[in-house]
Amino acid sequence: MAQNIYDNPDFFAGYSQLPRQVHGLDGAPEWPAIQAMLPDLSGKRVVDLGCGFGWASRWMREQGATSVLGLDLSQNMIERARADTADTAIEYRIADLDTLDLPETAFDLAYSALTFHYVQDFGRLVHVIHKALVSGGHFVFTIEHPIFMAAGQPHWISDDEGRKTWPVNRYSVEGERRTDWFAPGVLKYHRTLGTTLNALISAGFQIRRVEEFAPTREQIQQIPQLAEELERPMMLIVSASTSTAGTASKP
């Protein structure tokens, strides 16, 4: 079973105060970039993997999705999502993505925000997701960028001139990374960019677009502290799709 850090009281208390949890999607600088990658949601059946407080699940219903299944390992997250949702077309369930099974061809879109770096066997999960999507289905997710993840001690280092540098350690050594973030010993799994994208290809996905998120000039003008995000990518955003009939990729 994956580490359930979000049910740690200290972690959950700190995490709940993040701007993206207080303000929802409007508090996530990457949200406009994600929206640009999402398909038309009218009539779509969606699975939201690592749904958290349910911000994206509710938004997708507002955009016309016929149903949304939100999955999260954390009881705290699911309870909060249920409390904030009054829509019978949205269902929330507790689920461990490391052991997840989904019905075949049950969804038109699989979505996930900042969750997959907690998953040990990403290759297994993307195969499950591929089978759960219809032909021509979409898969859009964000994940901590491998450059951000690789740091042994993830914090800025300043040189003599005050310029910030992000350390990259053992980039090609994949596997566990433990950091202290709201609570000690938070467990994540580092994978290189190549491993992440090749896992999608091996599962049969066609990669549509890849963004290494950086804030826009307008966002930096509104929130000056975002300027430091230009020094290194913190987040990877990927859009992929399953093959449509007659266009299946060759092995």
Side-chain angles (χ1 to χ4, degrees):
M1 182 176 178
Q3 182 192 51
N4 187 5
I5 194 65
Y6 287 84
D7 281 347
N8 175 300
D10 293 334
F11 184 96
F12 189 73
Y15 178 84
S16 298
Q17 298 306 310
L18 291 174
R20 66 181 61 240
Q21 302 310 326
V22 174
H23 304 293
L25 302 177
D26 290 337
E30 73 279 7
W31 179 240
I34 295 171
Q35 283 183 272
M37 292 191 183
L38 291 170
D40 178 11
L41 291 166
S42 299
K44 297 294 193 296
R45 298 163 299 166
V46 180
V47 60
D48 184 358
L49 301 154
C51 62
F53 290 174
W55 295 106
S57 295
R58 292 187 291 274
W59 181 87
M60 289 179 185
R61 274 286 291 152
E62 293 169 0
Q63 305 308 307
T66 56
S67 64
V68 181
L69 174 61
L71 303 175
D72 204 288
L73 179 63
S74 166
Q75 180 72 38
N76 284 342
M77 293 291 193
I78 293 297
E79 288 181 354
R80 173 69 179 271
R82 287 171 176 166
D84 290 348
T85 301
D87 186 340
T88 57
I90 302 177
E91 179 185 0
Y92 296 111
R93 298 180 194 166
I94 294 176
D96 184 349
L97 299 188
D98 271 321
T99 58
L100 180 69
D101 282 317
L102 292 170
E104 293 189 15
T105 63
F107 303 99
D108 304 287
L109 168 66
Y111 173 76
S112 183
L114 296 176
T115 299
F116 292 155
H117 42 266
Y118 297 110
V119 173
Q120 182 175 19
D121 192 345
F122 182 66
R124 175 195 178 277
L125 178 60
V126 294
H127 274 85
V128 170
I129 294 169
H130 188 275
K131 291 180 180 179
L133 290 171
V134 298
S135 177
H138 290 77
F139 181 25
V140 177
F141 67 90
T142 69
I143 190 171
E144 288 186 359
H145 196 288
I147 286 177
F148 179 85
M149 281 282 295
Q153 297 293 328
H155 57 75
W156 294 105
I157 299 172
S158 295
D159 62 20
D160 293 339
E161 298 179 355
R163 183 179 179 86
K164 292 182 176 180
T165 299
W166 190 261
V168 177
N169 311 117
R170 298 183 303 138
Y171 180 83
S172 296
V173 180
E174 300 181 317
E176 291 189 8
R177 295 288 196 276
R178 290 186 181 270
T179 58
D180 295 341
W181 183 51
F182 297 131
V186 178
L187 174 61
K188 300 177 183 178
Y189 294 93
H190 166 66
R191 290 177 288 272
T192 66
L193 181 61
T195 293
T196 299
L197 298 181
N198 287 331
L200 297 173
I201 295 169
S202 295
F205 281 105
Q206 297 176 342
I207 297 173
R208 300 170 61 90
R209 191 168 182 83
V210 176
E211 293 283 354
E212 297 172 287
F213 174 74
T216 65
R217 181 180 301 176
E218 292 75 19
Q219 287 177 319
I220 293 172
Q221 288 175 345
Q222 294 173 3
I223 309 175
Q225 57 266 38
L226 285 177
E228 69 181 16
E229 298 301 326
L230 298 177
E231 298 294 337
R232 55 95 180 93
M234 189 278 281
M235 191 178 307
L236 184 69
I237 311 174
V238 179
S239 171
S241 63
T242 58
S243 300
T244 56
T247 61
S249 58
K250 296 179 181 180

